[in-house]
Amino acid sequence: MNRRRAHEEEDGYERLHRKRRRVSENQEIEDRLESLILRVGEKSSSSLESNLEGLASVLEADLSTFRVKILRILTECAIRMPEKCTIYATLVGLLNAKNYNFGGEFVDYIVKTFKENLKTGKWNAARYCLRFIADLVNCHVLAASSLLTLLETLVDCANEDGVPQVRRDWFVFAVLATLPWVGRELYEKKESQLDHLLVTIEVFLNKRSKKHWPALKVWSADSPHLQEEYLDCLWAQIKKLRQDNWSEKHIPRPYLAFDSILCEALQHTLPTIQPPPHNDGDTYPMPRVIFRMFDYTDCPDGPVLPGAHSIERFLIEEHLHNIVEAYHLERKECAAQLLCFPYKSKIPLEYCIVEVIFAELFNLPRPRYLEICYGSILIELCKLQPSTMPQVLAQATEILFMRIDTMNIACFDRLVNWFSYHLSNFQYRWSWEDWEGCAQLDPEHPKPRFIREVLGKCLRLSYHQRIKDMTPESLAAYVPLKPEPIYKYAMEGAASLPGTEAAHQLVVCVRNKCTPEEALNVLRELPNPLREGEANAAHTAYNPLKIDVFVQTLLNLGSKSISHSFAAISKFHYVFKILAESEEAQICVLRNVWELWQRHSQMVCVLVDKMLKTQIVECSAVATWLFSKEMAPYFTHGYLWEILHLTIDKMNKHVSKLSKELQEAREALARADSSSSESEDESGSKKKKDQDKPTEEAVERMEERLEMAHTDQKRLFLIVFQRFIMILSEHLVRADTDARDPHTHWYRATLARLRQVFLLHHEQVQKYSSTLETLLFTQDLDPHILDVFHQFVALTA
């Protein structure tokens, strides 16, 4: 009996071992197939045609075993590598010619993927699916009439009522962006149906609102390059392509080599595809304005830059954007891939790359990736192509500087950040003498302001003497002051100040490592200047002199570095909380931070950020302080708005964190309730689940916290927009009274900052747009201010 069992066990082991070996063999074949499919179209000693033929034979042989895997890999490749779309379409065409059933299965699979992407809001993936479906018509896998029916269905979605314009825009964009691949085939086989489709699109585009357009333009002026809305630009490119009988020069079409084989294949028809209806929670891609910086006259002798309305310009730019998307996490690889662009001999590649990278950097409301990502890619490009790229970049910088007067303020900030970072990587070498003429301009003019902001940012990346040495004498006025604290209790004439004695005592006390209570004791006897009139006595909840002495002295003692300042704030956090209980007291703290550190903008930003994190000051106090009368002269300085945006971001992150926690708690509660009907045997695990389950009271408390956070967020936006309106309206009234032109550089910059707040935080502000319309942006406002609000509302209308 024992012997038999041993034999059975041995037999079982053998069987298991054989199964494992078979599984690992299958895995190896799957990996090899995946690698072959992924790499098809890359550089190789054989021609692309022979590689495609060989791969089609290999895949056909493995269809019976790996059918699902092959369907999945081909579809994923077409979406993840859209520039190789025609190669994969040819491969599917060859497989369809050999195996009609597989062709049908592939059509079903890609349609299912297309529907899934539409349903889940993966708009780019859906668009690449549509492009691939269209390219299957070229390979005789699909009938042309079947594709046109689908395109007509998608364009019909653009004529739905009661849905956001951004949804309708996307469907039209998806159809137009597909036509360069399949237009010629549709023109030859179904010309009248194609014409009807284009007429429908034209009617839609003529009726479409473009109220959002000015808010998204990099430059407000359309000279020398028209800043076109993305759908208008693509429509002009498609019309030009139609005039050229749908023939273009930049799409590789490997299926032409197999025309005789593909023509013999039977074609499939698409099933009925009905896009999912709109839901209120759906988000769609934002509208864009096409960034144009160069035309053919800017490029030296050599290949000609395609015209702004040629379809080649659209195809080249989309391909370069896709390369940035695929490789943006690896700057060296990204730069190498950009320079290996397949059609580089036909175009002035460096100009195209620079324009595309600046288009990404200046994209509104926000760039797709971190700003430093684009700066680091440009540095790698200069290293890889030192003979041409630095010159093109210098030319681009000059063009941007020449047109900076009409540049969107958010793009102005990004240009400052990029240029200062770029200089820091190239030993701050620049032909500053070329910009000496700016010294004659009004200091608030965008050009001198740009120089001032760049030198200020360079200071953050270097040291004061270095910046001083690199700047020519004629621009010395724009060099920032030495970044040191101005501690008033140690300056000449400080003896007459009421808090000087207490400040000196506090210095001794802190140096002797006193406790927060002992520091408070030093401040106890200081008189309150607000209580001098008996009438005010009841309303004085804080003592500005105590705050003045404490904040200035403590931060001056910690002025050696940011770390010293943070350590001082952490140690005396209790004192800050005691002194700054009310909003007025918090504004007083911020004024003193500013008074001490006004020569060091970075330190002000960092300290305000720290005080927000440690809840010494509230977001609303920071906003009120920034819009106070004494800060108005600094409205053209970038760091003021840096502080405002970090404050709003802090509030937005807090709300989003609480929303996420509440959602997770509700889901955990729902899961626990649904599994509460477990059997007695599982009582142990049930007990543990009950311990993990949040109580209903805890969920209610989280709901209350989130509601309070929403109230705070709404209040913050109301403060910001109300102050903007007050300050701008006061300026307009003053200008009217004095019979002056109100459109000063200050006014234009401040109005642009209002637009920037709307754009940068549009997702959050959107929730309160009806409140803002009712309370603040009413019809009696100045049209310039009101127009900014209407442009914002139109973004997602």
Side-chain angles (χ1 to χ4, degrees), residues 272-341:
T272 306
I273 300 172
Q274 202 53 49
H278 168 68
N279 291 314
D280 287 341
D282 291 348
T283 53
Y284 300 94
M286 293 274 285
R288 292 175 293 117
V289 170
I290 300 299
F291 178 75
R292 289 275 177 261
M293 190 159 86
F294 299 123
D295 59 31
Y296 69 94
T297 57
D298 295 308
C299 308
D301 296 339
V304 178
L305 183 72
H309 285 162
S310 70
I311 200 67
E312 283 76 20
R313 192 77 168 259
F314 170 76
L315 298 171
I316 292 161
E317 285 168 357
E318 188 178 47
H319 193 161
L320 291 170
H321 282 299
N322 285 340
I323 292 173
V324 172
E325 184 179 354
Y327 299 100
H328 69 276
L329 295 172
E330 293 289 338
R331 65 184 194 280
K332 292 187 176 182
E333 184 62 22
C334 188
Q337 290 291 338
L338 288 167
L339 291 171
C340 290
F341 189 71

Side-chain angles (χ1 to χ4, degrees), residues 205-424:
L205 291 173
N206 289 338
K207 286 193 300 186
R208 178 172 169 263
S209 161
K210 285 185 285 190
K211 185 74 181 170
H212 59 272
W213 179 41
L216 298 174
K217 289 164 75 170
V218 174
W219 287 295
S220 55
D222 283 326
S223 167
H225 301 302
L226 182 64
Q227 302 295 297
E228 285 183 289
E229 214 271 345
Y230 79 122
L231 271 180
D232 286 351
C233 183
L234 181 54
W235 175 242
Q237 289 164 332
I238 291 293
K239 283 201 296 189
K240 175 79 171 63
L241 179 62
R242 187 187 186 184
Q243 280 170 20
D244 298 339
N245 289 332
W246 300 96
S247 60
E248 49 60 52
K249 303 181 190 77
H250 276 266
I251 298 177
R253 300 189 184 269
Y255 37 75
L256 296 176
F258 300 102
D259 200 42
S260 55
I261 300 169
L262 298 176
C263 275
E264 299 297 313
L266 291 169
Q267 292 182 321
H268 303 268
T269 54
L270 288 165
T272 306
I273 300 172
Q274 202 53 49
H278 168 68
N279 291 314
D280 287 341
D282 291 348
T283 53
Y284 300 94
M286 293 274 285
R288 292 175 293 117
V289 170
I290 300 299
F291 178 75
R292 289 275 177 261
M293 190 159 86
F294 299 123
D295 59 31
Y296 69 94
T297 57
D298 295 308
C299 308
D301 296 339
V304 178
L305 183 72
H309 285 162
S310 70
I311 200 67
E312 283 76 20
R313 192 77 168 259
F314 170 76
L315 298 171
I316 292 161
E317 285 168 357
E318 188 178 47
H319 193 161
L320 291 170
H321 282 299
N322 285 340
I323 292 173
V324 172
E325 184 179 354
Y327 299 100
H328 69 276
L329 295 172
E330 293 289 338
R331 65 184 194 280
K332 292 187 176 182
E333 184 62 22
C334 188
Q337 290 291 338
L338 288 167
L339 291 171
C340 290
F341 189 71
Y343 305 104
K344 57 185 177 186
S345 59
K346 296 182 182 176
I347 55 168
L349 181 62
E350 288 85 357
Y351 286 87
C352 292
I353 290 172
V354 167
E355 188 170 67
V356 159
I357 289 180
F358 277 118
E360 290 252 356
L361 178 63
F362 294 149
N363 186 55
L364 293 165
R366 289 179 186 269
R368 284 200 292 179
Y369 311 116
L370 292 175
E371 284 177 42
I372 201 166
C373 160
Y374 305 109
S376 60
I377 292 168
L378 286 169
I379 287 165
E380 291 304 323
L381 286 163
C382 288
K383 288 179 185 172
L384 286 176
Q385 203 87 307
S387 59
T388 53
M389 194 51 87
Q391 289 90 319
V392 174
L393 210 45
Q395 188 181 340
T397 309
E398 281 295 347
I399 287 173
L400 292 169
F401 182 72
M402 292 314 293
R403 299 179 196 163
I404 210 161
D405 306 19
T406 60
M407 188 180 248
N408 181 296
I409 204 94
C411 302
F412 179 97
D413 291 347
R414 292 176 209 169
L415 184 61
V416 166
N417 292 339
W418 165 75
F419 190 50
S420 51
Y421 169 68
H422 192 78
L423 289 174
S424 74

